[in-house]
Structures are given as C-alpha cells and as structure tokens.
Amino acid sequence: MNCLQNLLKEPPIVGSRSMRRPSPLNLASGASTSSAESGAVEAGTEKSDTYSTNMTQAMGAVLTYRHELGMNYNFIRPDLIVGSCLQSPLDVDKLRNIGVKTVFCLQQDPDLEDFDAFDLRLRLPAVISKLHKLVNHNGGVTYIHCTAGLGRAPAVTLAYMFWILGYSLNEGHQLLQSKRACFPKLEAIKLATADILTGLSKNSITLKWESDSCSSVEISGLDVGWGQIIPLTYNKEKRAWYLERELPEGRYEYKYIVDGKWVCNDNEKKTKANADGHVNNYVQVSRDGTSDEERELRERLTGQNPDLTKEERLMIREYLEQYVER
C-alpha cells in the first residue's frame, strides 16, 4: 500500500512512499487495565471531545469523533473507502485484506485547519491530481482518510467523484451521505471547480472599523478561517482601523473582534442569522475584466446543482494530469 501524508498542509510530494505501520498498541484481550492505560483512555476521550467540539463549531454541524474506539470507515463505492486514521498494525492488515492498494492520508497538525474551506479550495487541485495519478498507477481499492474521516477526506472524495468519476456534485454528495455521515465543504469544491475552468485571480478589498476608543481590532473568518485572526491597523488621521487584503473571487464571511469582544460591523453587509442565531459580516469579491461567458460559467458552477459537460470534465482531467506542484 502507498500513503501520502500532510497533503492539505504542504504541497504534495512527487511520487509515493510505502506506508509505515503505526506504532504497536497493547491489543491483548482479557488483560488487566493499569492506571497508565486508564489514563491513556481518559486522555483519548478528552482529545476526542475537544476535537468534536472544534469540529461542530467550525463546520456548523453536530459531528462526533471517538478516537478511542479505533479506526472506522465506509465503502462509498466498491473501489473507494472513506474513513478515520489508522491506529494499529492490525488496521494495516485489515485494509490489505479487503483489497486496499493505496492509503491516501490527509492528516495534518494542527487539525483545526481541517475545517478551513478557503484552504481546501486552493489545495484541492493539487490533492486530486495526486490522488488521480496514484489510483491509476496502483489500481485496487483506495482508502482516503483524515483524522476523523468527516471533513477533509469526504471533501476530497467528493471532488474526485465530481471531477474524475463523472458524478454530478449533488449525486456524489447524496451517495456519500448515504454511506457515511460527514460534512464535506460543498462551496469549496464548487469554487475550486470554477477556478480551474475560469482561472484564479484576486482583487483587493478594504475593511474598516470606525473607532478611536478601542485598543485592538481584529478579524476572524474571511480567508483564514474561524480559528485564526488578522489584526487591523489603526490610522490616527482617519481615526479608524483598516485591513487591506487580496482575495480570490467568492463570498467571505467574517467577524470583528474589538477589545476581545466578537461583534458585527453595522456599516458592512451582514448575513441572515444561521440555525444557532449567529450573524456575520460578509463581502462578495469579484474580479475585474470578467467576460459574460466566464461570469455565466462561474455562476452555473457555484449554483445549487452544478454539473460538468463532457468537455469541461475532459478539461479538468487534462489539467489535473498535467498539474505540476509549485
């Protein structure tokens, strides 16, 4: 089996490498549980709770991962599996016995980046290019996993089904959800598709917080995700805080953090309240010089039920096959 690690954290490496077996665990049945083992189980449970909480907050859906219960997975197709991370040598043997030829590893540290839709959008072409080439080379069954198998792995699987295997995005999403409860970032896949077919360009935006009575103003969300912040710069002459940033075309939600308090800016566009009652600011970024044909194509690909024509799917396949890592 082959394994690629950290594909969503760093640029993919050329080629593949043999999968190393995880460090052996104490799997003996009937053995008494020592205080050290009990502590390890408690630590694992606490880690799972923290991860599940972060995942729920960032993804807007209640999803639970229990690392201490071991590897779990689901066949999406006879040749494609989505699951959680491998934890023991027995997991390697189990996958080999069901015909797995490639283990496609998307784990990263810190795992909170798992939920960053903007990062996923930018990295998907490189990741799917590597996956496509490996599947063609190795054949057999492919096992795609991240940490919990609920975010990155389903998103990569769905993009692969959409771009390579011929599914519409909704058809692939329904099949994926029927096999495994998960939360792939559909908007990231839509935008990545449009980026490939229309090009990825950026435009400059300026965000402003008018106040001279606060000591710090930051923004979370935007293109860095909800787990990170960007500080604004204070302009004494204008008595306001500013952020200038270049962003690819798309819609970005964000929120201000003023002296540690999360607030919306009433002078900027706001979303409707979500299921939890949260309201964010948002900005719609468009690029200059876009033709009517490109605009219509991007609108179709980022709409409610996007699909690809045979010509578009062929263009994407050729793009991925010729993709060169930067």
Side-chain angles (χ1 to χ4, degrees), residues 51-152:
Y51 190 87
S52 296
T53 299
N54 290 339
M55 184 164 50
T56 296
Q57 292 175 346
M59 300 176 81
V62 179
L63 297 171
T64 303
Y65 170 56
R66 304 254 51 109
H67 181 82
E68 66 275 12
L69 297 182
M71 179 182 71
N72 67 84
Y73 60 85
N74 299 93
F75 274 90
I76 309 304
R77 291 164 36 108
D79 59 350
L80 195 58
I81 304 174
V82 174
S84 63
C85 59
L86 285 68
Q87 298 183 33
S88 78
L90 291 181
D91 292 339
V92 179
D93 297 334
K94 182 185 298 183
L95 295 181
R96 182 179 288 114
N97 290 337
I98 59 176
V100 171
K101 299 296 184 182
T102 302
V103 172
F104 202 69
C105 175
L106 299 165
Q107 278 186 285
Q108 59 190 24
D109 187 21
D111 274 324
L112 187 57
E113 293 179 19
D114 187 354
F115 320 119
D116 186 349
F118 181 78
D119 184 66
L120 179 65
R121 167 189 178 180
L122 296 184
R123 296 180 186 272
L124 263 178
V127 174
I128 301 302
S129 172
K130 180 62 65 175
L131 174 61
H132 176 49
K133 293 171 184 176
L134 278 173
V135 171
N136 283 344
H137 180 269
N138 296 335
V141 180
T142 299
Y143 184 85
I144 303 175
H145 78 87
C146 47
T147 299
L150 301 175
R152 272 162 296 174

Side-chain angles (χ1 to χ4, degrees), residues 265-305:
N265 190 334
D266 292 333
N267 297 319
E268 295 170 0
K269 294 179 180 179
K270 293 192 287 187
T271 65
K272 295 181 180 179
N274 61 19
D276 297 322
H278 297 300
V279 176
N280 301 319
N281 287 119
Y282 76 92
V283 59
Q284 183 73 42
V285 180
S286 58
R287 59 177 176 173
D288 299 327
T290 303
S291 67
D292 291 340
E293 184 180 358
E294 288 178 330
R295 188 178 299 108
E296 291 174 2
L297 176 58
R298 182 170 281 272
E299 288 177 356
R300 173 168 65 82
L301 294 175
T302 57
Q304 291 298 314
N305 186 20

